[in-house]
Amino acid sequence: MKSQQRRAVSLRISVTDRCQLRCVYCLPLKGVTKLPAGDILSFEEIIRFARAMQAGFDLLKVHLTGGEPLVRHGIVELVAGLAALRIPDLVLTTNGQLLAGSALDLKHAGLHRVTISLDSIHDETYQTITRGGDLKRTLAGIKAALQAGLAPVKINVVVLRGLNDNETADIAHFGLAQGCQVRFLELMPIGCARAQFRDRFVSSAEVHQRLASSFQLTPLDHDIRRSSRNFLAVGRPGVSGTIGLISSKSHPFCAGCTRLRLTSTGQLIACLAREESVPIREFLRTDAPEATRDLQELAIRQVDGKCLRTEFDTARAMASVGG
Ligand code: SAM
């Protein structure tokens, strides 16, 4: 019976709504209200959540995100607390701006790997897209992550027409040559990306076509739980590795989706594309067994309620949902 099986789940936990960047498709330049520190989940509450999910589910992965997780003070302690739970896959997604200084500490704390957002390898385009980012810092972050062994290091690129769509092969060559996996994401029409979507969206099919002129691409076995379709890519002499295409818009991967998202203020979200969320902070204030059980039951309802989405229907930004 399904209710007695341990359902597979992977958690994406936003540890802060704050970010030092204002990527054009993610956050508006002005008018981002900072939540009071007291509204943000404490480390204790986040760890309690992970522990409850581990006890009630087959917990595959915990993915820390934001906002920018590395701007949260004490993030290394949180990683250590989660690592103590022996989660099979403990990951952090970052813009990489602060990674050079923390990669080794994160590794020592028990982080397994990182995903780094890198939408351009040209200073000017990087600055245009991130509105304030310093490309050199993220490149140093990638190097530090590789040296620290936070592998596989994955590079995420959101492909944007007229901004970076002409650099896909260059970014892929750059990333693979470093020893990273490189994944190209379709822009999702959520938050402030909705207004730009029509002009900026580039499909994975088009990205594949562009890459195919520089790489020999061989499809790799697909795991339905994975968001990306992966290819073995062989490019310039000596450059090969894994390239992934994440087609959230053109080919949603809802069928195998095991994700539950927790926002930095304690809202549980089963689907990124929908407005619905459930406040769970009250369950995280205590270790009482009833609270844990109620939380698990609520989470089971969220997982079982997952469905195949047809359209995106939310004004929420990735930065608040936990990208
Ligand atoms: N600050 C971290 C970072 O930059 O990776 C983590 C948070 S960020 C919201 C997580 C990921 O979401 C990034 O790779 C970002 O490019 C992606 N993202 C944000 N808005 C998006 C959108 N509308 N469509 C597709 N990806 C988006």
Side-chain angles (χ1 to χ4, degrees), residues 45-66:
E45 288 167 327
I46 291 173
I47 292 169
R48 201 172 274 142
F49 172 67
R51 213 186 300 120
M53 295 301 100
Q54 189 178 41
F57 291 86
D58 174 15
L59 180 56
L60 306 175
K61 168 159 79 169
V62 170
H63 202 130
L64 298 177
T65 180

Side-chain angles (χ1 to χ4, degrees), residues 55-272:
F57 291 86
D58 174 15
L59 180 56
L60 306 175
K61 168 159 79 169
V62 170
H63 202 130
L64 298 177
T65 180
E68 169 51 39
L70 297 186
V71 303
R72 173 105 189 230
H73 188 65
I75 184 72
V76 174
E77 283 164 46
L78 175 64
V79 167
L82 291 167
L85 302 182
R86 301 192 171 280
I87 292 152
D89 195 13
L90 184 56
V91 193
L92 181 141
T93 293
T94 173
N95 58 38
Q97 293 283 290
L98 298 172
L99 187 57
S102 56
L104 207 51
D105 290 343
L106 289 165
K107 177 70 182 175
H108 289 156
L111 188 71
H112 296 145
R113 58 189 180 91
V114 284
T115 295
I116 302 170
S117 299
L118 178 73
D119 290 340
S120 175
I121 50 170
H122 296 295
D123 281 312
E124 226 173 281
T125 311
Y126 186 82
Q127 270 177 34
T128 303
I129 295 175
T130 60
R131 297 190 291 202
D134 178 349
L135 176 63
K136 283 184 219 67
R137 294 183 72 100
T138 291
L139 298 186
I142 291 172
K143 205 166 163 189
L146 288 162
Q147 279 167 355
L150 289 166
V153 174
K154 295 185 183 176
I155 290 178
N156 270 4
V157 187
V158 178
V159 185
L160 303 160
R161 182 155 333 272
L163 285 174
N164 63 359
D165 55 334
N166 59 350
E167 319 183 29
T168 49
D170 290 345
I171 301 175
H173 267 113
F174 168 81
L176 297 187
Q178 307 276 312
C180 302
Q181 297 185 10
V182 183
R183 304 174 334 150
F184 294 95
L185 282 68
E186 285 183 351
L187 181 66
M188 291 180 283
I190 60 173
C192 62
R194 295 197 299 181
Q196 313 154 30
F197 186 74
R198 194 197 288 243
D199 293 339
R200 295 286 186 215
F201 176 75
V202 181
S203 69
S204 291
E206 183 177 331
V207 173
H208 184 279
Q209 207 174 16
R210 284 174 181 264
L211 292 172
S213 57
S214 305
F215 291 89
Q216 189 190 323
L217 297 171
T218 310
L220 296 171
D221 282 349
H222 183 57
D223 173 351
I224 188 172
R225 285 179 180 162
R226 219 186 276 137
S227 56
S228 62
R229 292 210 166 255
N230 290 343
F231 298 83
L232 171 64
V234 180
R236 289 179 203 134
V239 180
S240 65
T242 302
I243 287 182
L245 298 177
I246 302 186
S247 317
S248 310
K249 180 73 174 104
S250 63
H251 289 100
F253 36 87
C254 309
C257 180
T258 56
R259 291 182 190 82
L260 272 185
R261 293 168 193 271
L262 181 64
T263 70
S264 56
T265 55
Q267 298 282 329
L268 194 64
I269 295 178
C271 177
L272 180 61

Side-chain angles (χ1 to χ4, degrees), residues 48 52-53 280 282-299 301:
R48 201 172 274 142
M53 295 301 100
I280 61 162
E282 62 175 297
F283 301 111
L284 301 177
R285 295 215 165 97
T286 158
D287 275 324
E290 315 82 72
T292 306
R293 199 194 49 237
D294 289 350
L295 174 58
Q296 287 164 345
E297 282 173 8
L298 190 152
R301 281 200 298 279

